[in-house]
Amino acid sequence: MSSPPYGSRSHEESNRADSDSEDEPKLPLNQFYPYIRCALCCGFLIDATTITECLHTFCKSCIVKYFFYSNRCPTCSIVVHQTQPLYNIRPDRQLQDIVYKMVPFLEDLEREQICKFYKERGMDVPKPVTISPPGPVAGKRQKKDNVSQSIFTIPPELDVSLVLEFVGAEEGISNYKPLERRYVRVSGEATIRHVELFIRRKMELSPTCQVDVVCGDHLLDHYQSLKDIQSSVGTEALQDGLLVLHFGLVLPSQS
């Protein structure tokens, strides 16, 4: 009996693949509501915007209006900035892309409402920003490049790539989760305090636990920005172009 042609699948393999796809768990959308809805308006995130001090995310219009009369995060009440809380918010384009993919027709509905808003006021509807390819290319290739760049372009403000290496915890510290996301891309204006807050949130650390962050042989202070650290330490702290930070968990010193 002759063997099946190269690249083809047998009937048994096809049935097995179909069976595996049917066995995949399907979760209802409401299980993801805590991650894709705004805590202020209770609707799905639109122009997702994250507070850099605590990493909580809201609709841009909601959080901007909220900061008119408060300088604290609506979720955790941390002081975002003493006088200008809008300085410490950043667009979260990746999360917004996820929301649009998970909620069908949400992006189209939002675009229709934007057009309606401008037309009712007799204003020109702003055109969406498109990213042109670096040079002239063939028709199909050009379309492909435009699509890929519009989806995967990294925001320019995220100009520092980090590797967070966990070196261990002091004896007596045990209740923490492993840091699953070791590779992070952030703004060079972010400080070690922001890195610590990120680690605390992801590892669900106790408030009594202290996070020490080290770059090379230097124990870093909370106020130091990543841009300053990268320029002062130099290539010694870089690994394949990534800034390597080691951190450990310690108990606070008792005076």
Side-chain angles (χ1 to χ4, degrees):
M1 184 175 64
S2 61
S3 59
Y6 178 79
S8 64
R9 295 193 308 176
S10 66
H11 182 68
E12 181 181 352
E13 290 175 340
S14 178
N15 289 339
R16 188 184 303 116
D18 294 339
S19 176
D20 291 342
S21 63
E22 292 176 357
D23 293 338
E24 291 180 357
K26 294 183 180 179
L27 300 177
L29 183 63
N30 58 12
Q31 289 194 14
F32 299 94
Y33 280 0
Y35 312 104
I36 62 176
R37 292 208 305 182
C38 173
L40 291 173
C41 68
C42 296
F44 294 114
L45 290 168
I46 299 295
D47 288 337
T49 302
T50 298
I51 298 175
T52 59
E53 295 297 304
C54 59
L55 304 180
H56 289 124
T57 305
F58 309 89
C59 299
K60 181 179 179 179
S61 60
C62 293
I63 194 62
V64 169
K65 292 176 184 176
Y66 179 86
F67 281 153
F68 285 165
Y69 57 86
S70 177
N71 66 345
R72 293 180 177 271
C73 170
T75 300
C76 65
S77 297
I78 188 175
V79 176
V80 178
H81 191 283
Q82 291 293 345
T83 57
Q84 299 292 338
L86 294 179
Y87 286 171
N88 290 341
I89 61 175
R90 297 291 184 273
D92 195 331
R93 295 179 176 88
Q94 288 80 8
L95 178 56
Q96 189 61 61
D97 287 342
I98 292 173
V99 174
Y100 281 151
K101 290 181 185 298
M102 295 184 66
V103 185
F105 312 117
L106 178 63
E107 186 174 12
D108 293 336
L109 179 61
E110 179 64 17
R111 189 179 295 111
E112 290 177 3
Q113 291 180 346
I114 291 175
C115 294
K116 181 180 179 182
F117 174 87
Y118 282 96
K119 288 179 179 179
E120 287 179 349
R121 290 158 177 77
M123 303 165 63
D124 294 333
V125 179
K127 297 180 179 180
V129 177
T130 57
I131 303 174
S132 57
V137 290
K140 291 186 178 180
R141 178 67 180 275
Q142 183 174 1
K143 290 182 180 179
K144 183 178 179 180
D145 288 346
N146 282 338
V147 171
S148 61
Q149 289 186 18
S150 64
I151 296 176
F152 298 107
T153 298
I154 297 175
E157 64 267 19
L158 305 182
D159 52 358
V160 175
S161 298
L162 293 179
V163 181
L164 300 176
E165 297 284 1
F166 180 47
V167 298
E170 187 178 353
E171 185 177 356
I173 302 176
S174 57
N175 294 328
Y176 58 86
K177 289 186 175 181
L179 183 65
E180 298 179 354
R181 186 178 174 185
R182 294 173 50 239
Y183 299 93
V184 187
R185 192 171 179 94
V186 296
S187 168
E189 301 298 331
T191 64
I192 295 301
R193 175 60 176 167
H194 297 134
V195 176
E196 179 191 341
L197 290 171
F198 173 80
I199 293 172
R200 286 187 176 279
R201 182 177 180 184
K202 294 300 181 181
M203 299 182 69
E204 298 185 1
L205 299 179
S206 166
T208 60
C209 179
Q210 180 177 323
V211 180
D212 283 350
V213 183
V214 178
C215 185
D217 298 328
H218 305 278
L219 179 63
L220 303 176
D221 293 318
H222 286 168
Y223 64 85
Q224 291 182 270
S225 70
L226 299 177
K227 185 185 299 182
D228 292 340
I229 295 169
Q230 195 169 20
S231 60
S232 61
V233 178
T235 57
E236 298 177 1
L238 297 180
Q239 177 181 327
D240 297 329
L242 307 178
L243 180 62
V244 181
L245 299 181
H246 295 83
F247 71 95
L249 309 180
V250 298
L251 296 173
S253 58
Q254 297 180 354
S255 56

